[in-house]
Amino acid sequence: MKIRVILVICAILLPSGCATSQGSGERSGASLDFALIGDMPYDARQEKEFANLMKDIDSADLAFVVHDGDLWWDGQAWTEEGGGLPPCSDETFKDRLALAQASKHPFIYAPGDNEWVDCHRAKPRAYDPFERLAKLRQMFFQGDESLGQHRMKLERQSESSRYAAYRENARWTYADVMFITLHIIGSNNNLGRTPQMDAEYEERDAANIAWMREAFDLATRKGSRAVMIVAQADPYFQTTWTPNWQERYALWALAMKPPASRRRTGYDSFLAALEKETLAFGKPVVYVHGDTHIFRIDKPLVDSRSQRIIENFTRVATFGHPDTHWIRATIDRADPNVFRFRQEIVRANVAAH
């Protein structure tokens, strides 16, 4: 009888079901797995493969899905031969939102550069990036919940009047882990194209760093076991390395200049703040990104003083076009590293060689 009463109360209090996570904790007895994806779907082929991927993800026992940005082709790279919906169009906005909303699990999304910054060069029609950014925020970041068939409550930076524009920067807690999304994007984080874009970058960069610092402070006060940051951009950790570090990665060394002679990037202040917060936190910190479309897990954040890796920091880069697969992340309560990561190859999307 008591069980029936509890079920009735759940049905009344939570119309979307008692299985929905409310952001401040997790479902009782729930799986501690979640999915990481990004840089998809791009062309017509990948739009079909994305359906296979989401079918795979929907059938898995997961708490939520996180997409780290770039929902369509870079504006310049799209071609009619590749097919698929054209970048930045209203039709494509609607299609990608529908894909996110169709997810069985709560779907959290961090925006990428393809969604708005690169729209000035989109084919077959160019768009004003600021207008596309406004549309992106209006369509994808309404209310205080995630996307998806089942919703998860999120805290948004826009709850502060000082950062009212930044609805896309979100935060939630699951299994004593602090998760945050940041609006850090490719194309040099929108720095260096026009004075107007530079001004936008400066304001957003300050908002991102403030949101990250607040999350670390909150995680410290709450005793969180770890922090996971999700953003679209690969911030090119190697730009902060000394020549000795760069020489260890010969291919990068050919393209990079020593820090003393290189130009400013759109990620410098973020990387400096990330180093400081990670060292002070002292527990596992994971930065998840897309942008470069190369699946990898490594430790690229180097202490600027000791020139040694920061052991409690890990980078996870998701699969991306042309590969349509996902990463299963697991929170292990018994593991001092907190996280485990497993590549999930979608068999229906394996290319014929």
Side-chain angles (χ1 to χ4, degrees):
M1 179 61 71
K2 289 183 179 179
I3 294 176
R4 286 185 179 181
V5 171
I6 292 172
L7 291 175
V8 170
I9 293 173
C10 282
I12 295 172
L13 295 180
L14 294 174
S16 57
C18 280
T20 300
S21 171
Q22 294 304 301
S24 59
E26 71 273 1
R27 302 171 308 210
S28 176
S31 165
L32 297 181
D33 291 358
F34 56 97
L36 300 171
I37 60 175
D39 295 292
M40 61 180 76
Y42 276 20
D43 53 17
R45 174 191 58 78
Q46 200 175 41
E47 286 173 359
K48 294 178 181 178
E49 291 184 353
F50 190 75
N52 298 332
L53 176 135
M54 289 308 298
K55 182 179 180 181
D56 205 35
I57 288 176
D58 283 347
S59 66
D61 185 11
L62 302 171
F64 49 84
V65 181
V66 183
H67 190 297
D68 59 28
D70 277 10
L71 289 166
W72 51 73
W73 263 121
D74 171 274
Q76 190 172 348
W78 181 83
T79 64
E80 291 185 4
E81 292 75 17
L85 294 174
C88 305
S89 70
D90 287 354
E91 181 184 10
T92 308
F93 268 82
K94 293 176 183 177
D95 177 81
R96 300 308 196 250
L97 178 59
L99 292 178
Q101 295 287 32
S103 170
K104 173 185 174 182
H105 308 294
F107 193 102
I108 300 98
Y109 157 65
D113 58 328
N114 291 8
E115 281 85 298
W116 67 279
V117 168
D118 300 330
C119 290
H120 68 283
R121 60 187 184 187
K123 301 175 183 177
R125 174 192 165 187
Y127 297 82
D128 172 55
F130 289 121
E131 184 274 330
R132 292 290 89 177
L133 175 58
K135 186 175 185 67
L136 186 72
R137 285 170 167 161
Q138 185 274 324
M139 289 185 67
F140 285 81
F141 304 106
Q142 286 298 312
D144 62 352
E145 292 182 320
S146 67
L147 303 171
Q149 293 182 33
H150 291 86
R151 305 295 179 87
M152 183 170 67
K153 190 171 182 180
L154 306 172
E155 294 180 75
R156 298 195 183 277
Q157 190 176 20
S158 55
E159 293 176 16
S160 167
S161 58
R162 182 176 179 182
Y163 301 106
Y166 298 97
R167 299 196 54 76
E168 62 274 18
N169 283 349
R171 180 172 68 209
W172 68 101
T173 299
Y174 182 79
D176 296 325
V177 172
M178 174 71 68
F179 292 84
I180 66 169
T181 62
L182 296 175
H183 193 169
I184 303 175
I185 52 179
S187 295
N188 200 31
N189 210 9
N190 199 30
L191 175 66
R193 191 172 77 83
T194 69
Q196 293 78 15
M197 290 296 195
D198 289 352
E200 186 283 329
Y201 155 77
E202 296 288 353
E203 292 180 4
R204 180 168 43 80
D205 186 53
N208 283 326
I209 291 173
W211 187 237
M212 180 175 68
R213 285 173 173 161
E214 182 179 314
F216 271 104
D217 179 65
L218 183 60
T220 298
R221 288 188 283 111
K222 291 177 62 176
S224 299
R225 299 182 63 222
V227 171
M228 176 173 281
I229 303 166
V230 181
Q232 189 257 335
D234 179 343
Y236 297 106
F237 294 95
Q238 62 270 23
T239 63
T240 65
W241 295 349
T242 62
N244 177 56
W245 265 87
Q246 291 182 4
E247 286 168 7
R248 299 186 199 180
Y249 294 78
L251 294 178
W252 281 337
L254 294 174
M256 302 308 302
K257 296 180 180 180
S261 61
R262 70 177 179 84
R263 294 182 178 180
R264 178 191 180 198
T265 78
Y267 311 110
D268 294 352
S269 53
F270 165 69
L271 288 175
L274 178 63
E275 176 188 345
K276 180 179 179 181
E277 295 298 332
T278 299
L279 287 169
F281 185 59
K283 299 178 184 179
V285 175
V286 175
Y287 179 77
V288 177
H289 71 80
D291 194 18
T292 39
H293 303 208
I294 300 171
F295 166 63
R296 54 185 160 172
I297 300 173
D298 60 4
K299 291 187 174 292
L301 188 61
V302 176
D303 187 317
S304 57
R305 293 172 297 178
S306 69
Q307 287 303 303
R308 296 171 63 95
I309 64 167
I310 299 176
E311 284 85 355
N312 62 307
F313 180 87
T314 303
R315 178 255 295 278
V316 176
T318 52
F319 292 98
H321 182 271
D323 305 307
T324 318
H325 308 298
W326 59 287
I327 299 172
R328 181 191 297 267
T330 299
I331 299 175
D332 186 343
R333 297 183 186 277
D335 190 336
N337 293 317
V338 181
F339 297 104
R340 296 198 310 272
F341 301 99
R342 187 176 80 188
Q343 56 182 323
E344 294 286 355
I345 303 300
V346 181
R347 294 302 167 191
N349 295 340
V350 175
H353 298 288

